Amino acid sequence: MDRSQLEKLLADVRAGDVSPADAANQLAQLPYADEAARAVIVDPHRELRTGVPELVYGASKTADQIAAALQALAKHNGGAVATRVDADKARAVKALVPDVVFHETARALTLGRTPKRPPCAPICIVCAGTSDLPVAEEAALVAEFLGAPVTRIADVGVAGLHRLLARLDDIRKTDVVIAVAGMEAALPSVLGGLVDRPMIAVPTSVGYGVSLDGLVALGALLSACAPGITVVNIDNGVGAAVAAVKIARLAVRP
Amino acid sequence: MDRSQLEKLLADVRAGDVSPADAANQLAQLPYADEAARAVIVDPHRELRTGVPELVYGASKTADQIAAALQALAKHNGGAVATRVDADKARAVKALVPDVVFHETARALTLGRTPKRPPCAPICIVCAGTSDLPVAEEAALVAEFLGAPVTRIADVGVAGLHRLLARLDDIRKTDVVIAVAGMEAALPSVLGGLVDRPMIAVPTSVGYGVSLDGLVALGALLSACAPGITVVNIDNGVGAAVAAVKIARLAVRP
Amino acid sequence: MDRSQLEKLLADVRAGDVSPADAANQLAQLPYADEAARAVIVDPHRELRTGVPELVYGASKTADQIAAALQALAKHNGGAVATRVDADKARAVKALVPDVVFHETARALTLGRTPKRPPCAPICIVCAGTSDLPVAEEAALVAEFLGAPVTRIADVGVAGLHRLLARLDDIRKTDVVIAVAGMEAALPSVLGGLVDRPMIAVPTSVGYGVSLDGLVALGALLSACAPGITVVNIDNGVGAAVAAVKIARLAVRP
Amino acid sequence: MDRSQLEKLLADVRAGDVSPADAANQLAQLPYADEAARAVIVDPHRELRTGVPELVYGASKTADQIAAALQALAKHNGGAVATRVDADKARAVKALVPDVVFHETARALTLGRTPKRPPCAPICIVCAGTSDLPVAEEAALVAEFLGAPVTRIADVGVAGLHRLLARLDDIRKTDVVIAVAGMEAALPSVLGGLVDRPMIAVPTSVGYGVSLDGLVALGALLSACAPGITVVNIDNGVGAAVAAVKIARLAVRP
Amino acid sequence: MDRSQLEKLLADVRAGDVSPADAANQLAQLPYADEAARAVIVDPHRELRTGVPELVYGASKTADQIAAALQALAKHNGGAVATRVDADKARAVKALVPDVVFHETARALTLGRTPKRPPCAPICIVCAGTSDLPVAEEAALVAEFLGAPVTRIADVGVAGLHRLLARLDDIRKTDVVIAVAGMEAALPSVLGGLVDRPMIAVPTSVGYGVSLDGLVALGALLSACAPGITVVNIDNGVGAAVAAVKIARLAVRP
Amino acid sequence: MDRSQLEKLLADVRAGDVSPADAANQLAQLPYADEAARAVIVDPHRELRTGVPELVYGASKTADQIAAALQALAKHNGGAVATRVDADKARAVKALVPDVVFHETARALTLGRTPKRPPCAPICIVCAGTSDLPVAEEAALVAEFLGAPVTRIADVGVAGLHRLLARLDDIRKTDVVIAVAGMEAALPSVLGGLVDRPMIAVPTSVGYGVSLDGLVALGALLSACAPGITVVNIDNGVGAAVAAVKIARLAVRP
Amino acid sequence: MDRSQLEKLLADVRAGDVSPADAANQLAQLPYADEAARAVIVDPHRELRTGVPELVYGASKTADQIAAALQALAKHNGGAVATRVDADKARAVKALVPDVVFHETARALTLGRTPKRPPCAPICIVCAGTSDLPVAEEAALVAEFLGAPVTRIADVGVAGLHRLLARLDDIRKTDVVIAVAGMEAALPSVLGGLVDRPMIAVPTSVGYGVSLDGLVALGALLSACAPGITVVNIDNGVGAAVAAVKIARLAVRP
Amino acid sequence: MDRSQLEKLLADVRAGDVSPADAANQLAQLPYADEAARAVIVDPHRELRTGVPELVYGASKTADQIAAALQALAKHNGGAVATRVDADKARAVKALVPDVVFHETARALTLGRTPKRPPCAPICIVCAGTSDLPVAEEAALVAEFLGAPVTRIADVGVAGLHRLLARLDDIRKTDVVIAVAGMEAALPSVLGGLVDRPMIAVPTSVGYGVSLDGLVALGALLSACAPGITVVNIDNGVGAAVAAVKIARLAVRP
């Protein structure tokens, strides 16, 4: 149940269309939809508290747990997303819940339709190399699920600066930038000196040797001398999308 | 020269009040105000490109370099800030430039008046312990210098949860939250589950032993399960303030 | 042979029911029950020295070694536990010793009945997410094997604080708390400010990127500002259970 | 205000000796004793919630802040402790508050008399080398401040095993053991195989080179194969003392 | 060709049994026995320079390369050893060279007979847990290949101190001690305080979580306060054996 | 004695101007000029072997040792350089050897005149911020001492891309580039995509928090996706200069 | 299109053989050859900017992406290389593009003929052990693809110093040295004191335990006291080859 | 009391020169010579158990504690050594105990005469740079105190290989080698391939940047491919000396 459903319910109560007792019953069901005997407890009214519904993190869950969580969340919210689901696990979930859709590049599953969301300014998601695409797509898919218009710009690494400069106008048409970058992660630094938008940087685990599975990219981003760049965990496309949407909603708040 | 000065100049040209040649001369001076024979090159039109003027990072500069940079920036912008200036270095700068003001808790120097800035929504800066105050104050001073109204909330660590809950209403009156936290850095996680504002977390180097000068706090913040929290470098109050202001300006954009 | 068996034997000797020679023979068998030709030497009188019998750590042992160790320990103690046994290895052990029982979530095998133990106060095992359940269940199973009544509370992460607050009364009905938490591991910090029980925190290897397989959770727990929290190794449910039982026995010592 | 003061107040109310209004006034003062204009907010009723009063962590506070915090806490509780205070800072605090007492080895300040505490079983504090004495003494002083009888055993490192074995009887006369050890930190492992008491291990930053300021000792303690040892942060005598007292109180609970 | 073969040849030359030209020819063949077209160049006269023949490190070699190296070395020296060979690779080598013998616990292959070696004093190899056996056996097999009499003592971890004390006499009958230990690696520290023999410690990668694949054991051993313990790389049974043999040969040098 | 002095000597021998015996005497003096009773052994004919004379690394030497080494080297070579000499130590050396010249920004001392060197193509030394100047100057001073013409370009960080682009032509007039960069160290990546010269990157220890004293900059440079960048140790201006000179000499080799 | 093709085109324009309009058309096609619908954008005129064509990094690409990239690059340049392609992926690419050639030791694919390159001085690639061969071969293959004559020298580790000394003359016949070394990586240090050529060191991930997948070799190389050695990422044969070729081209520049 | 004093006492008892009661009294005094009221407990009969007397580690002790320990040990043993004593602390000790002698390079204090020790074969201590001298001298001084003849060889780093080769004969005249090396620590690897003696390597904290205070040197030594090298902690000259003496005594054991 998101805020608009809640407001609808309360308006119905005020209008006399729903009795306080029935409303109470409906609200009483909210807190914990206990699915699958304690193993997966979804939190359907998280959206009410934080503006963002629960998203299923698939990596540490079994196909059974993902299926149960998606169904529980979709029942309450109209739609649900699970991320970090590889192709094998996706197949197993689909065998249990045939309606899920698998998004291969983003390594994500969706169930149901994206529910109506608050208005949101456009977000630009920029990435440096083809190896960063899965993380960029995860961010894009989640941002769109949360109601954001998304502009995708790929393969604009700093070793080919002209490509990046050629896309600056597209970037400036959006209000928030997510920059996805692995290896030395110089893209957000360069971009941070060229645009005045809030920018969220996502380090990726692309690379080898001293890249340390993304720790060097993370460190480089946090050390960037262009002030105002904020950072999320390595490969954390979901976190970047949620942060960007919260910001982009402010920009079109009535 | 910020954008409003530039637009004023161009309007004067259009109106015939300034000749194109004179305007060209003025603009020609912009790029590099070479101060102190190459050692300190300030970048006065950075505000034009990125929305935020250059801020002087004092830690790796001598008193001479800080004084020169503050004067150069204040001449162009009307006011300037230098951070990471300890009491001894502050005294040395004040001997060179008597007009600077030292902000002891924030470990910062200001020169001149804060110039007029774009409108900005209110920002809340929350910190967990008295040891985190210097970083929180650095963020507050820079945010105010950039034009943001700031609400300060101190000493609301999670080990005394009631203190934090008692201040939730104050936090919710602002549009962006900066959460400053050292040691196990649990504050932003808890807060992230209670408010729906964009939140920027600043780990601090407070702690000892396994705290590793803030690396554990940084790691904990990046690992936080409350999605949508973004993070800046350890003790980086300046970066958090710049990011928060960029977001808060969006919220009141006409 | 635990202390009560030993005291029984010595009482029998004093009462003349067992000859000193026979007692000597029985005691002589104690020290090293050499199983399987030197490869697995179990230590059956460890319980006498430390209050806790030997528990089989399955991860670095073959199915043969686990089977032999469980049988040797169960023969002397009446029951035995092996932890860190995955489903495949469990099957292999069961093929050798059909009486073993596999506990899937806890990834543990038990053989025989839990022997009578000293009295023990109740222990509460709290965990933050479904991903932490295996570690929490390992702790619960071992604590119960050692004679403790266990209260399980799952999915009370700090990002949904209301869930945790709703369970405080249940937690306060026990005398020792084991808090299992991965990622940023904020749960024990928050709980440590709310209850006055001894608390043992178990970091888990849940998470990705900068979580570093649990090292950040471990560091955060050790840095927690709520004093009095003690910590065990990452994913070490066994160690937490043993420590909690030693404490809980003190609480009901006659 | 600790629990006995609170119970006294409520008993007075019940007996009619104190009016509810006056009691309310007294209780209203509890929450935040704002000292020194926001900079140091002490939490005098923490003891009510967690069983342990606030202890002042001196390392990141100025002499002014320590003095103010000690006075505020001593006023409410009758006595107060500040730890991690070096000799120079101690002198500065003493100049402000002449009644403080400096404990040089423990690097701690006390003010006022230790208030009456709940009953507590005896605690043994064992350390391996003379270099570990400051941490052991910090633990001892805090444990005694919290009401515990303390047995100190020093210089029983495993490289001279006979010393340790000679003291086992003394250790077994207590109910909880704090083992302080730096370098390879083998003492708690050996002791853990010899006694059945709950044991809390404190790694110290003694050592050089690969000792990494105590990180190796910490890792060794967390990896110890003797189960049931729990660990606190490097050099964290305070945390070990608080944990030990919470356990030792259980052992003599009526 | 080892030193005794060389001395024999030179004696033959002196005696007139071998012409200088023929001797030169034989010696000329020594330097590089180029096997398998450059891919594996064995160094058969390494024994002459360093007292120890080349040992084949199997982990980073293919079955083909191991087979070629073993044959080349055995042809010159009479016998050869390859370590770090898992069961699958061992089978593949055996298919190529049916005479090789696989030593499963030691994960090693031998080919041919152990050649005659210089006299060598007895070596004791002590290990703490069954998980350390593969490393201990690798050391034992290599030491015996190099001519040392070896005493094996297993499962004498410090958590069961009586087991270790019971074997001290056996240890003291040897001249050099190799102590193999994982996890907290306390065994060599304790042993170092009890015996006066040169001791080489081998950390193992046994353990989990904060054990960091043996890095903590390594750090603990290097930090051990019992002076005179020297250390080799994690799991490096070969290195310990070679070092021990070099020492043990000194002890019986005529 | 460099190669030209050696060739001169041999030519003199051939010409009969120097007797073989005298030449032998001169050459015999070469190997080890034992200065100051074993403590400082300079290696004057290193230039003959490696093309580069010995440079004195001042950080771990006393003023006495630096003075002795400079004098010994200057006597043989005509000139000498010592790096990593802070102002205090420089004063102490100057008191011993008044002819030394202190270069404050480069933290270096020179003695005597730069001897004639092989021809060398021009080198460009680029740095990103004023904080990187000491390392850049160390590289410049050493490169000039070795005979290279040096172009210095400062303050061209990627956060102000226009500054860098404005200097591309100057950079392209040289044959080898040394890029000095701290923090996120993005400069060499960007530059590597714009110029085709061999480029040596020097990470600096500028920065704080997660910058880890230059380790992140080092990691970022080694991970840079622009291929062909090579890297030296953190702050190692000397190493970069020596490498650049070796390359630049190739470019003008007759 | 490489520089010679470009110069040819411009010469044709000057000569009147190609009209400016046609030339413009050809040049307009250069920037982005969009292959495979955005997923792989090759950069065919990178050679123009940086002197080196794009090389396909296969590790993070699918067989489809590698095939598309090789074809796109070969179409423009005449030939293309993909590195870090294991045998399975190579088979999959060959199924798509039968003309590719797989180089097993180098783990690389080539397509088409090596295009004509600028003249290049000879490069020597030296490696210490057979385990380092794959990295050395990757470097050799890329260097040859870029037009360099390559001398390969294998198995000259410092533990058998005579082998290395025997090859010094071969090394000195080349102008640039690439030294590939894992484990303690001492080879480049020793070589750096013996030859005066520019030397690029490549650490490899060979080793175990404390070798940390090549991080220790990397650290040792960067710490080498022989000045003038530069370093690339662990196992980065490509980077070393590109850097060496840029240098070697300078040596024969007309 | 060392073994010879003990044997003398027992011989006196046997001969009737000392009564058993008097002998018992003398022996009873042995175990713990409690000096300075618990703060410094020396272990005078450690030599009996381990062959080596207690050596005072000065770094973590006050001047008072060092003075007391030296006097207590010298009283029982005839002589004593304290290491890691800087010049200031040495002065303070000398003020308390004027008979101590300060060894500046070794940073050590000695008191009294070196007592008679068991026979010991010669030891060679080799170091690479002048910066390694303090560690080498610490090892030499302790080895001589324990009765070993010591050959010192300095400044034979691998960057100047000829110096090392020139000293091989001197090294081969000794029976045990201690190799002290910082930075990339290649010396022991090279030496390990040239001599057949037992070799103990001591990494030093010399270096900067990625040298990580000796951790890279330590890692390189443990990874060395020349088998049979054993390693002690960074800068641990004492440990290397004790290990070498234990070995060298074996070589001359009657």
Side-chain angles (χ1 to χ4, degrees), chain D residues 159 183-184 189 193 211 216 219-220 223 225, chain E residues 159 184 189 193 211 216 219-220 223 225:
Chain D
M183 299 173 124
E184 86 276 46
S189 287
S211 298
V216 159
S223 303
C225 51
Chain E
E184 87 275 45
S189 286
S211 297
V216 158
S223 304
C225 52

Side-chain angles (χ1 to χ4, degrees), chain D residues 157-161 165 183-186 189-194 208 210-211 215-216 218-226, chain E residues 157-161 165 183-186 189-194 208 210-211 215-216 218-226:
Chain D
V158 298
L161 203 60
L165 298 176
M183 299 173 124
E184 86 276 46
S189 287
V190 171
L191 209 46
L194 295 171
Y208 62 91
V210 82
S211 298
L215 285 175
V216 159
L218 172 65
L221 290 171
L222 288 164
S223 303
C225 51
Chain E
V158 298
L161 202 60
L165 298 177
M183 299 172 123
E184 87 275 45
S189 286
V190 172
L191 209 46
L194 296 171
Y208 63 92
V210 80
S211 297
L215 286 175
V216 158
L218 172 65
L221 290 170
L222 288 164
S223 304
C225 52

Side-chain angles (χ1 to χ4, degrees), chain E residues 139-155:
Chain E
L141 183 141
V142 170
E144 289 173 340
F145 176 76
L146 297 176
V150 171
T151 300
R152 289 163 172 85
I153 295 181
D155 223 15

Side-chain angles (χ1 to χ4, degrees), chain H residues 186-202:
Chain H
L187 172 62
S189 286
V190 171
L191 208 46
L194 295 171
V195 300
D196 64 354
R197 301 298 185 269
M199 187 185 309
I200 297 159
V202 192

